[in-house]
Amino acid sequence: MRFVPFILRNAFRNKRRTLLTILSIGMSLFLISTLKTVLDELESPPSTPESAKRVVTRHLTGLGSTMPISHRERLRQVPGVEAVIASQWFGGTYKDPSNFFPQFAVDADNFPAVYPEIHTQTPEQMDAFIKLRTASLVGIDLAKRFNWSVGDRITLQGNIFPADAELTITGLVSGGGSDGNLYFHWDYFNELFPQNVSGAFIVKAKDAADIPAIMENVDSVFSNTTAPTKTETESAFILSFASMWGNVRLLMASIATVVIFTVILVAANTMAMSIRERTGEIAILKTVGFKPAQIFRMLIAESVLIALTGGPWGALGARFLYGLVNLQSVSQGFIQTMTVRWSTVALSAGIAIVVAVFSTLVPAYSASRLPIAVAVRRRGE
C-alpha cells in the first residue's frame, strides 16, 4: 500500500497517452459487452409463469412447412390442454420494405386465453378486436414508431402470401413481448389466402406440470399423418430462431477473441513505450534498494490500474446507453430489450485485468531484470 501514490503518479504521468489507452480498452470492452448481451438475449428469452404453460407445435420439417388447420381441433382434445390458437407469420410490408416488424395472424377468440399477460389499454379494445373481422392489435412501441392510434386503417402488402391485408387498429397492447408486434385475425388471413393452413399452433396447458406429457402426446397423435409435428416449449421455440443463423455463439466468441487480442497488442505497445522511457528511473530504483520483483509488481499494477479505469466503464457505459435507447425501434423489432447484466460488467473487469497482465508481462519482466549499468547506459542513449 505504501507504493500506491508512486504507482498512481507513474500511471498518469503522460495523461494524453494514458487517456487514449483507457479509451481504447473501454471501447473494446463496450463492444465485447454488447456482443455478450446480444448472445444473452438470444439464448435467454424472457420467461413468465404464463409462458411456462405454453408449448408451440410446428411442422416436423421446419417452419417453412405449414400444417392443416384441422390439427387445431385435435390439439384441443389432448389431455391437459386448456386452449389452442393458430399462429401464422404474415411477413407483409408497410409502405417500405425497411419497415420490418413481427406480424401474426391468430385466432382472435382464444387469443386472450392463450396470452393472458398481453393486455389492451381497455377491455373494450380487446372486445372490438374479437368482433371485427379486419381488426388488429398493435404493440404500444410499434404504434409510437409509426405514429399509429386506435381507429387508424393500415395496409400490409403481402410478400410471402400473394394478398394484401387491410386492417383497422382496434387496440394497443403491451406485456408478454408484444410491444413491437401486430396481431390480426387468422380467419381474415384465410380469406385472403384460402388454404386452411397454419405455420404453428400455440398450446396453453392447464398446468406447467402437464407440459412434458402434452408434448409427447401431441407429437404421437400426428406422427403418422401427412403433417407430422414437433412440439417444444415456448422458450425452446424462440431459441430455435437463433439456431437458424448458424453457430452464433462461435461467431461472437471469435469476434470477441479478435478484439481482446487487438487491445492486448495496443496496450502492450503503450506499456513498452512507457517502460522504455523510464529505464533510467528503474535504474535509480534498483540503486536505492528496490528488488526486481518489487519493480515488476509495480509495473504490472500500473497497467492493471489503467485497464480497470477503462474496461468496466466500457461495460457500464453499455448498460447505461442501452437502458436509454429504444432498441425495439432501432432494431426493427429484432431485439425487444437489451440489458447488460452485472455479470457481464464483472466479466469485463476480469478481461481488463487479463489484458493488463498479458500486455505488460514481457516489457515489465525485461525492465525489472535489466542490470543497473545497462539501464543507465540506455538512459544516456
Side-chain angles (χ1 to χ4, degrees):
M1 293 300 293
R2 58 180 176 171
F3 299 126
V4 170
F6 182 71
I7 293 171
L8 286 170
R9 185 167 61 252
N10 283 325
F12 295 95
R13 63 190 300 167
N14 190 324
K15 294 181 175 57
R16 178 182 297 178
R17 183 165 60 203
T18 300
L19 178 61
L20 291 175
T21 303
I22 289 173
L23 289 176
S24 66
I25 294 174
M27 290 304 298
S28 299
L29 269 297
F30 176 89
L31 176 59
I32 291 175
S33 298
T34 300
L35 294 174
K36 177 66 166 58
T37 302
V38 170
L39 189 63
D40 289 340
E41 295 294 336
L42 292 176
E43 294 187 343
S44 303
S47 180
T48 66
E50 294 300 333
S51 66
K53 296 180 182 180
R54 285 192 294 267
V55 296
V56 180
T57 297
R58 61 178 176 84
H59 200 286
L60 180 63
T61 59
L63 291 171
S65 302
T66 57
M67 298 169 290
I69 197 63
S70 58
H71 276 23
R72 179 176 56 190
E73 295 305 318
R74 297 181 68 178
L75 284 168
R76 288 172 178 164
Q77 299 171 10
V78 173
V81 171
E82 179 180 330
V84 180
I85 62 170
S87 179
Q88 175 62 55
W89 175 272
F90 185 66
T93 297
Y94 176 69
K95 293 186 177 180
D96 188 274
S98 63
N99 294 332
F100 173 83
F101 55 89
Q103 310 154 16
F104 301 96
V106 298
D107 291 324
D109 291 345
N110 289 318
F111 183 76
V114 174
Y115 289 101
E117 70 271 36
I118 296 179
H119 304 286
T120 52
Q121 294 177 317
T122 64
E124 290 75 19
Q125 290 182 355
M126 182 63 76
D127 293 339
F129 170 66
I130 294 173
K131 293 176 182 178
L132 181 64
R133 180 178 59 90
T134 59
S136 65
L137 295 177
V138 173
I140 55 174
D141 288 344
L142 185 61
K144 292 178 182 177
R145 176 181 168 191
F146 295 111
N147 198 27
W148 290 339
S149 58
V150 174
D152 288 352
R153 295 179 61 86
I154 60 174
T155 299
L156 301 180
Q157 299 174 346
N159 292 322
I160 302 174
F161 304 99
D164 296 344
E166 297 182 358
L167 306 172
T168 301
I169 299 174
T170 59
L172 303 181
V173 294
S174 60
S178 65
D179 294 13
N181 299 346
L182 181 145
Y183 305 94
F184 67 101
H185 284 230
W186 180 88
D187 289 337
Y188 178 51
F189 162 78
N190 197 50
E191 291 179 16
L192 299 174
F193 188 73
Q195 299 293 317
N196 291 312
V197 295
S198 180
F201 295 97
I202 316 300
V203 181
K204 172 75 176 300
K206 296 177 182 178
D207 191 279
D210 298 331
I211 292 295
I214 290 175
M215 292 192 296
E216 182 178 354
N217 290 338
V218 167
D219 291 340
S220 64
V221 166
F222 301 109
S223 60
N224 294 320
T225 66
T226 56
T229 62
K230 179 179 179 179
T231 304
E232 52 196 346
T233 62
E234 187 175 78
S235 60
F237 178 74
I238 295 173
L239 290 176
S240 67
F241 282 96
S243 64
M244 294 179 185
W245 308 321
N247 195 335
V248 179
R249 175 175 285 275
L250 178 60
L251 173 63
M252 293 192 176
S254 301
I255 295 174
T257 301
V258 171
V259 171
I260 294 172
F261 181 72
T262 303
V263 76
I264 286 177
L265 292 180
V266 172
N269 181 63
T270 301
M271 292 307 299
M273 290 174 58
S274 176
I275 292 171
R276 182 172 181 82
E277 291 174 356
R278 293 155 51 195
T279 302
E281 296 178 18
I282 294 173
I284 294 172
L285 291 176
K286 286 189 172 184
T287 302
V288 298
F290 278 77
K291 296 179 180 179
Q294 290 177 312
I295 296 173
F296 177 78
R297 287 196 296 266
M298 285 192 295
L299 293 175
I300 292 291
E302 290 177 26
S303 181
V304 170
L305 176 62
I306 293 173
L308 285 179
T309 303
W313 283 108
L316 289 172
R319 180 181 173 88
F320 177 75
L321 177 63
Y322 295 134
L324 295 178
V325 177
N326 187 345
L327 285 169
Q328 185 162 281
S329 176
V330 173
S331 65
Q332 298 184 338
F334 177 70
I335 298 177
Q336 299 285 332
T337 60
M338 192 162 163
T339 302
V340 179
R341 303 175 182 178
W342 287 114
S343 59
T344 302
V345 176
L347 176 64
S348 298
I351 292 175
I353 294 174
V354 171
V355 167
V357 172
F358 276 89
S359 63
T360 315
L361 202 59
V362 174
Y365 181 81
S366 299
S368 65
R369 298 293 173 178
L370 198 65
I372 296 175
V374 176
V376 172
R377 187 167 60 250
R378 286 189 181 179
R379 184 186 185 192
E381 295 173 357

